[in-house]
Amino acid sequence: MKKMAKDRLSYFRKRLLDKQRQLMEEVGRSALYGKGQEDDSIKDLGDQAATAYTREFLFELGNGDRRLLKEVTTALRKIEEGGYGECERCGEPIAKKRLEALPFARYCIDCQRLVEEEERSAAG
Ligand SMILES: [Zn+2]
């Protein structure tokens, strides 16, 4: 697998850090509501273990932001540890255009579609 150039990695790293900061502020604001009850569920978010209730609950509190924040954090870790820019499912490099639009993308476009279908069917 071809490794991503250093300058390109630092470019994405910067974009991800900016996004992370922005999301943390937004999530921090929504976390002011319902404190305590949500703490455990945040940890499990994205682990597919969340109950329908938790999913709905978090959705009301800005589930989109939390989920995104988790993905941004995961992407930053991959930049540090290696594997950034590779699809988590099939291991193929994620298309440049896709990373440009979504620097935190975890999957290539094909796998993304599959993962979303699976999530939909898991959600019932
Ligand atoms: Zn893939």
Side-chain angles (χ1 to χ4, degrees):
M1 193 83 55
K2 210 171 136 236
K3 270 187 104 176
M4 193 179 282
K6 263 218 171 91
D7 59 343
R8 216 166 148 69
L9 272 183
S10 57
Y11 160 76
F12 282 123
R13 186 165 180 276
K14 191 185 173 304
R15 282 191 55 186
L16 285 162
L17 283 171
D18 285 348
K19 188 80 188 163
Q20 189 183 45
R21 200 175 312 124
Q22 179 204 330
L23 285 168
M24 273 172 151
E25 280 168 19
E26 282 169 23
V27 170
R29 266 199 297 275
S30 60
L32 292 175
Y33 308 94
K35 210 166 165 50
Q37 199 175 5
E38 67 179 322
D39 283 351
D40 285 336
S41 42
I42 293 170
K43 274 180 278 177
D44 290 332
L45 188 66
D47 294 348
Q48 317 267 338
T51 62
Y53 169 76
T54 309
R55 269 199 302 270
E56 273 175 28
F57 183 69
L58 286 171
F59 187 77
E60 282 173 32
L61 289 171
N63 189 21
D65 283 346
R66 284 168 203 279
R67 194 188 170 109
L68 208 54
L69 180 58
K70 194 183 158 99
E71 287 178 5
V72 167
T73 306
T74 304
L76 280 165
R77 200 173 58 222
K78 283 196 283 188
I79 285 181
E80 303 301 329
E81 295 174 0
Y84 178 73
E86 289 167 20
C87 174
E88 283 182 19
R89 193 181 170 104
C90 69
E92 291 294 317
I94 298 170
K96 270 184 195 166
K97 261 192 192 162
R98 181 165 163 76
L99 276 183
E100 198 68 54
L102 298 167
F104 43 82
R106 294 169 62 193
Y107 307 109
C108 69
I109 193 94
D110 291 338
C111 291
Q112 179 69 49
R113 221 168 277 144
L114 290 169
V115 167
E116 276 171 14
E117 267 169 35
E118 275 168 21
E119 278 180 3
R120 258 200 301 278
S121 54

